[in-house]
Amino acid sequence: MLVAITDPLFWSGEPIALADALRSLGVPDLGGGSADDKSAGVITTGPDRLTLTVEEAAATLGISRASAYEGVRRGEIPAIRIGRRVLVPRVALDRLLSMPEVAEPE
């Protein structure tokens, strides 16, 4: 079976699908450590990750990518910047989602 990855931007937003596709092709794990070794440079996907991309946070919140970036810009969605990357800490997003609902002014 031949697989061509023609759009890196698609795969950058789908790390689990990419890992599954590579695994199905028999590509060895590139992390270099065991599943229990978190310090070996293994890229963690799934619920163990401490941060989400803005796109992943948008999907979690049920809003568009543009709305999520706007929310980050306005400070409504907590985010950290590492170089050019903007990441949303999972714990901050969980805290945001557990806040009591704010009533609309009449």
Side-chain angles (χ1 to χ4, degrees):
M1 176 166 102
L2 178 65
V3 174
I5 301 174
T6 59
D7 186 3
L9 291 177
F10 168 80
W11 290 108
S12 68
E14 300 290 335
I16 294 171
L18 176 60
D20 290 342
L22 292 173
R23 207 173 1 262
S24 72
L25 293 172
V27 176
D29 180 19
L30 302 176
S34 70
D36 296 332
D37 186 6
K38 300 287 186 199
S39 65
V42 176
I43 297 173
T44 306
T45 60
D48 293 341
R49 285 182 38 216
L50 298 176
T51 60
L52 300 171
T53 65
V54 175
E55 290 84 0
E56 291 168 334
T60 300
L61 294 169
I63 60 176
S64 71
R65 177 180 179 268
S67 294
Y69 275 104
E70 182 65 19
V72 167
R73 188 186 69 74
R74 284 189 266 171
E76 298 168 342
I77 297 174
I80 57 173
R81 181 177 293 275
I82 299 175
R84 294 185 59 175
R85 299 263 333 234
V86 178
L87 300 170
V88 178
R90 185 179 294 274
V91 68
L93 188 62
D94 290 342
R95 196 174 315 131
L96 176 70
L97 293 173
S98 66
M99 290 175 51
E101 217 173 292
V102 179
E104 291 283 327
E106 295 182 19

